[in-house]
């Protein structure tokens, strides 16, 4: 593999034979902090954000980072300092973004199952908008807000029924999905929202899926949403903002997603053509801001030759890197030091007692026990989905900024994991 060809390049790249993140040798971080270890590049995140900012230059637009992709506090801080708002999906995420220094008005709240307690806390914090996903939720939110003597700002998440051409588990804008309000019911839902005493209609939103690598599903969704905007506004219900959700894909292997600025030039051209170019626009990117800004560094524990397969057993597992087990996702796995040995084909697997605990299949690697590997494109939906299965402590995390490395999360030990448990009397 040639240098510079790595996903996450140029922030993750070989210098000579050794893999660096920005100006820091990954092997030095592994030696200092142990493995498995998540390592992030601040410059990679800001570069991903800059592509969106270029795309929106001169527009009334705001980026709300969808933090379920990676909700570590220091990462939220990076985006807060860069002027981003945040798209949350739980009360826990609300507390995280407030702890990272965001204001209530920087926050929008998505998700199909908000509880009354979460609604109250979000209203107390003065959030920018609730993205409501059903008529039942409209009724409850209105009740909660009215009881507090206020009106909740709401946008309705509509389901444009377009196929995002991605993995079924991460497509969300089809008729059969649990998300959003069906296109043909949206007008009725808006009439209801406008009539409820505890609500103030502020906008419309959609989110059609994740890891989308083509422009066409976005254009189709845009057309469907604009048709609705026209219908809703013709009834005298004004929509101050239009929110297009997130979903833009990244390179894990050989995907060719559009760059964020290119995608937005196409969408803005269509918005302009239909007369909506000067609306307040919002987007909710997650993966595309952090996915290629992170890697998981892991040590090879054992090589286990087999009759049908050779196994390379590493110290990272499905609890640290859940995407392969969950979505059969592909992550590149590369050595921290490019060796001269003869490559052997391995299934790269973790120590967890599950056959689903694989990180990569049929990978050519020239490695020995004790050597270090990096699982690339691990900035999104890895640490935020990590679990303690098999009573494995979650990894430490380091954020690199130029030649500096900041520990942003310490490794969990068994005591951390047992803290809330109680023995019987
Ligand atoms: C997950 C999610 C996002 C972010 O999706 P990405 O694919 O990570 O960009 C945005 N909006 C909503 C409502 C989501 O659920």
């Amino acid at each position: 593999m040639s240098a510079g060809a790595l996903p996450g390049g140029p922030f993750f790249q070989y210098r000579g034979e050794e893999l660096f993140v920005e100006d820091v040798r990954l092997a030095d971080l592994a030696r200092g902090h142990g493995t498995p270890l998540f390592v992030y590049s601040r410059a990679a995140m800001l570069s991903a954000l800059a592509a969106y900012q270029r795309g929106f230059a001169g527009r009334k637009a705001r980026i709300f980072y969808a933090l379920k992709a990676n909700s570590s506090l220091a990462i939220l801080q990076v985006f807060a300092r860069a002027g981003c708002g945040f798209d949350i999906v739980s009360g826990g995420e609300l507390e995280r973004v407030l702890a990272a220094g965001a204001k209530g008005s920087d926050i929008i709240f998505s998700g199909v199952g908000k509880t009354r307690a979460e609604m109250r806390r979000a209203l107390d914090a003065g959030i920018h908008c609730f993205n409501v996903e059903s008529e039942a939720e409209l009724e409850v939110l209105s009740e909660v807000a009215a009881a507090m003597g206020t009106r909740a700002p709401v946008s309705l998440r509509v389901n444009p029924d377009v196929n995002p051409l991605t993995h079924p588990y991460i497509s969300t804008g089809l008729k059969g999905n649990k998300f959003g309000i069906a296109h043909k019911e949206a007008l009725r839902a808006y009439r209801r929202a406008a009539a409820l005493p505890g609500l103030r209609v502020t906008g419309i939103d959609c989110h059609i899926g994740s890891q989308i690598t083509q422009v066409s599903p976005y254009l189709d969704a845009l057309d469907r949403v604009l048709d609705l905007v026209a219908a809703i506004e013709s009834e005298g219900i004004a929509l101050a903002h239009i929110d297009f959700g997130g979903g833009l894909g990244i390179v894990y292997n050989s995907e060719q997603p559009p760059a964020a600025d290119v995608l937005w030039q196409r969408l803005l051209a269509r918005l302009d053509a239909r007369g909506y170019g000067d609306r307040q626009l919002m987007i909710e990117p997650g993966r595309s801001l952090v996915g290629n800004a992170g890697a998981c560094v892991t040590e090879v524990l054992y090589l286990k030759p087999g009759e049908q397969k050779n196994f390379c057993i590493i110290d990272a597992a499905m609890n640290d890197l859940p995407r392969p087990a969950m979505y059969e996702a592909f992550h590149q796995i590369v050595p921290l030091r490019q060796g001269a040995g003869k490559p052997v084909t391995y299934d790269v697997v973790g120590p967890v007692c599950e056959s689903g605990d694989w990180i990569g299949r049929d990978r050519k690697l020239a490695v020995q026990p004790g050597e270090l590997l990096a699982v690339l494109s691990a900035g999104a939906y890895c640490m935020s989905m990590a679990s303690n299965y098999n009573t494995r402590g979650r990894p430490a995390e380091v954020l690199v900024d130029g030649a500096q490395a900041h520990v942003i999360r310490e490794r969990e030990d068994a005591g951390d994991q047992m803290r809330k448990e109680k023995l019987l009397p």
Side-chain angles (χ1 to χ4, degrees), residues 51-391:
Y52 281 101
Q53 289 166 329
R54 277 196 303 278
F56 285 130
R59 302 283 179 158
K60 284 187 283 179
R62 184 142 197 228
I63 298 160
F64 293 80
Y65 168 55
L67 61 141
K68 73 177 191 285
N70 188 319
S71 53
S72 298
L73 286 177
I75 286 176
L76 303 183
Q77 240 181 336
V78 169
F79 289 112
R81 287 176 180 170
C84 287
F86 296 94
D87 177 33
I88 64 169
V89 292
S90 74
E93 286 193 349
L94 175 60
E95 301 308 329
R96 276 189 176 276
V97 289
L98 294 174
K103 297 191 299 290
S105 56
D106 297 326
I107 298 167
I108 58 178
F109 194 167
S110 299
V112 294
K114 303 176 193 78
T115 65
R116 286 166 195 262
E118 287 174 323
M119 290 171 177
R120 273 193 289 273
R121 177 74 180 110
L123 284 166
D124 261 337
I127 70 163
H128 184 68
C129 186
F130 289 84
N131 288 351
V132 173
E133 301 221 13
S134 64
E135 288 188 55
E137 184 190 339
L138 281 177
E139 306 285 338
V140 171
L141 180 57
S142 174
E143 234 178 81
V144 169
M148 292 171 70
T150 185
R151 284 178 169 240
V154 294
S155 162
L156 268 59
R157 174 168 174 181
V158 298
N159 185 339
D161 192 25
V162 300
N163 189 341
L165 311 172
T166 184
H167 190 284
Y169 281 15
I170 50 177
S171 75
T172 56
L174 281 165
K175 270 182 193 157
N177 293 127
K178 71 178 176 181
F179 299 100
I181 293 169
H183 195 269
K184 66 178 189 353
E185 283 151 25
L187 197 53
R188 190 183 72 212
Y190 267 99
R191 285 185 199 123
R192 185 77 191 121
L196 283 167
L199 303 182
R200 177 163 56 85
V201 173
T202 64
I204 188 166
D205 64 283
C206 71
H207 171 72
I208 56 173
S210 199
Q211 187 53 15
I212 300 167
T213 55
Q214 296 177 47
V215 175
S216 59
Y218 279 105
L219 284 169
D220 294 347
L222 173 62
D223 276 329
R224 302 270 291 165
V225 169
L226 292 183
D227 292 345
L228 272 179
V229 172
I232 294 159
E233 294 198 326
S234 75
E235 302 210 356
I237 302 169
L239 299 172
H241 76 249
I242 308 178
D243 173 353
F244 296 99
L248 180 57
I250 62 168
V251 178
Y252 287 99
N253 191 15
S254 54
E255 301 87 344
Q256 295 183 307
D261 48 347
V262 172
L263 171 66
W264 277 97
Q265 276 154 20
R266 298 278 306 275
L267 291 171
L268 289 166
R270 180 73 60 93
L271 272 164
D272 288 342
R274 294 195 53 175
Y276 293 96
D278 61 355
R279 270 317 146 107
Q280 174 69 43
L281 305 175
M282 295 170 28
I283 54 163
E284 308 164 351
R287 184 192 314 269
S288 54
L289 291 180
V290 290
N292 279 330
C296 182
V297 179
T298 172
E299 184 181 320
V300 176
L301 298 175
Y302 301 103
L303 298 177
K304 185 172 172 182
E307 260 175 47
Q308 295 186 349
K309 290 244 175 202
N310 300 310
F311 293 100
C312 172
I313 302 169
I314 59 175
D315 68 358
M318 64 187 291
N319 70 297
D320 312 299
L321 295 162
R323 299 187 63 257
M326 242 179 118
Y327 314 111
E328 302 196 321
F330 181 97
H331 288 270
Q332 283 198 25
I333 304 172
V334 299
L336 293 205
R337 175 185 280 278
Q338 287 176 314
K342 189 171 167 299
V344 175
T345 301
Y346 294 104
D347 272 12
V348 180
V349 301
V352 164
C353 302
E354 295 276 346
S355 295
D357 183 24
W358 58 277
I359 305 298
R361 288 193 165 132
D362 297 324
R363 304 303 176 86
K364 281 200 158 50
L365 293 166
V367 285
Q368 293 301 322
E371 291 183 357
L372 298 166
L373 299 172
V375 180
L376 300 179
S377 312
Y381 303 108
C382 292
M383 190 61 186
S384 60
M385 294 176 91
S387 77
N388 291 124
Y389 188 40
N390 279 208
T391 307

